Amino acid sequence: MPIDPAKAVAAEPRSAEISWDHKDVQLYHLGLGAGVPATDPDELRYTLESRLHVLPSFATVAGAGMGVVGGLSAPGIDIDLAAVLHGGQSITLHRPLPTRGRAVSTSRVAAVYDKGKAAVLVLRSEAADEDGPLWTSDASIFVRGEGGWGGDRGPSERLPLPDRAPDADVERPIREEQALLYRLSGDWNPLHADPEFAKLAGFDRPILHGLCSYGMTLKAVVDTLLDGDVTRVRSYRTRFAGIVFPGETLRIRMWAGDGRVQVAVTAVERDDAPVLADTLVAHS
């Protein structure tokens, strides 16, 4: 079997020095669609170095790190990228992210779950600098055709939506070239750029990175319900429930209450097909 669960989980963690500066942060924000309108003071916090703050989801790309694709080269894992989809993502922030930093990222395969017709890999990355921990990030990677060995199925937690109207309901357009820009932050999976590769993976055309919709959603929550203050975010998790294509529009519905915002994200042009589900932002 291309995945050896015991070997993957038992492998020694891998550590690497990572660094980033304002250009990396600005590029990431632009890849999420920041900067529209270009002179809006609220948007300049994402695009202008003299006013810059860092959206916490930047942790998923900071310094490239192990990354989703890089994590698939861990011992005990030998799989076809065409069979891979990002199943879920969580980040816990230990303190606000600086606009310029140098840290040590330690990465490992935290778990391998057997979903029957697929396997799920949990890739955990922890980053710390000289002042202590910065973030802990878990990426759940869905690998089609690699399950069925009788292993632990893992958690299947679902988060029912509140039975009331959302506190905010906004739409965010995805530009036609947005995946091409976003991938410059370090996710080079050809699924998001190469039409022929996308067809091999079963899609009519390249799809947007799940982590791009993830970042777009957090930005919408921060801008809409958290007074534009990125430092209020404590943790953020989601399950990638469906795909979205460049050129489509995300509908982002938010329910606020007691230090948390629950979110549902859908694709407007496809009758509100699910994109992100079981999504929760914890905040101060």
Side-chain angles (χ1 to χ4, degrees), residues 3 7 33-34 45 60 74 81 106 119 134 153 177 199 209 257:
I3 297 176
K7 183 176 181 180
R45 296 176 301 184
T60 61
L81 275 180
T106 302
L134 281 165
R153 287 190 59 83
E177 83 289 358
K199 289 178 182 177
H209 303 70

Side-chain angles (χ1 to χ4, degrees), residues 85-89 158 210 213 238-244 263-267 270 272-279:
L85 286 174
H86 202 155
Q89 180 71 45
R158 294 293 182 265
S213 57
T238 198
R239 176 172 61 86
F240 297 111
I243 62 168
V244 65
V263 191
V265 183
T266 56
R270 285 181 286 116
D272 279 324
V275 176
L276 301 185
D278 306 325
T279 305

Side-chain angles (χ1 to χ4, degrees), residues 146-218:
E146 296 297 339
W149 70 89
D152 182 2
R153 287 190 59 83
S156 56
E157 180 183 357
R158 294 293 182 265
L159 192 62
L161 294 177
D163 187 21
R164 61 179 177 86
D167 296 293
D169 187 338
V170 302
E171 293 186 358
R172 294 293 183 266
I174 302 165
R175 300 189 309 272
E176 289 283 352
E177 83 289 358
Q178 193 158 331
L180 302 179
L181 179 59
Y182 180 84
R183 70 195 301 263
L184 299 182
S185 287
D187 188 339
W188 299 102
N189 189 338
L191 175 62
H192 308 294
D194 185 342
E196 294 304 318
F197 190 93
K199 289 178 182 177
L200 289 175
F203 302 106
D204 293 337
R205 59 189 188 278
I207 63 176
L208 187 70
H209 303 70
L211 284 179
C212 186
S213 57
Y214 180 77
M216 291 177 70
T217 297
L218 183 60

